[in-house]
Amino acid sequence: MCRTDRRALPASKTAAARIRARVRAKNRLKVTFSLAVLLNLIDAIWHLSGPVWFTAHTVAAALFTAALAAYVILLVRQHRARRRAGEGET
């Protein structure tokens, strides 16, 4: 059974776009977190050093930070949009 069969489909294209954006942001966060953990594990085992390793480690940390910030910002924006939509229904 497909995952979409178990869920109610979004009522509008905007809602579908929000869901896709959230899934993309969540996937980016998972990938960058995995990369950061992998680099830390490699560093802990082999104690690598040098400019290439430092650059790779710094880039991975920056990518993870950016992905985390994007995910949190997206969650906050969606929460505010839901609150605004809920206020109009009362």
Side-chain angles (χ1 to χ4, degrees):
M1 177 180 275
C2 185
R3 254 187 127 164
T4 55
D5 293 340
R6 288 185 258 149
R7 294 182 178 175
L9 294 175
S12 67
K13 289 183 180 182
T14 305
R18 285 185 187 135
I19 291 170
R20 283 192 305 272
R22 187 171 181 179
V23 168
R24 280 193 309 267
K26 190 182 287 188
N27 288 340
R28 288 182 194 129
L29 184 59
K30 286 179 186 177
V31 168
T32 56
F33 179 77
S34 299
L35 178 64
V37 168
L38 179 65
L39 288 177
N40 284 331
L41 181 64
I42 291 170
D43 188 37
I45 293 172
W46 286 294
H47 304 289
L48 300 173
S49 62
V52 174
W53 180 252
F54 177 76
T55 303
H57 211 271
T58 304
V59 167
L63 288 174
F64 174 71
T65 303
L68 180 61
Y71 185 69
V72 169
I73 289 168
L74 184 64
L75 287 178
V76 169
R77 288 179 63 194
Q78 288 179 351
H79 177 71
R80 286 181 180 169
R82 270 189 247 118
R83 274 191 23 209
R84 268 188 260 120
E87 288 173 0
E89 295 174 5
T90 56

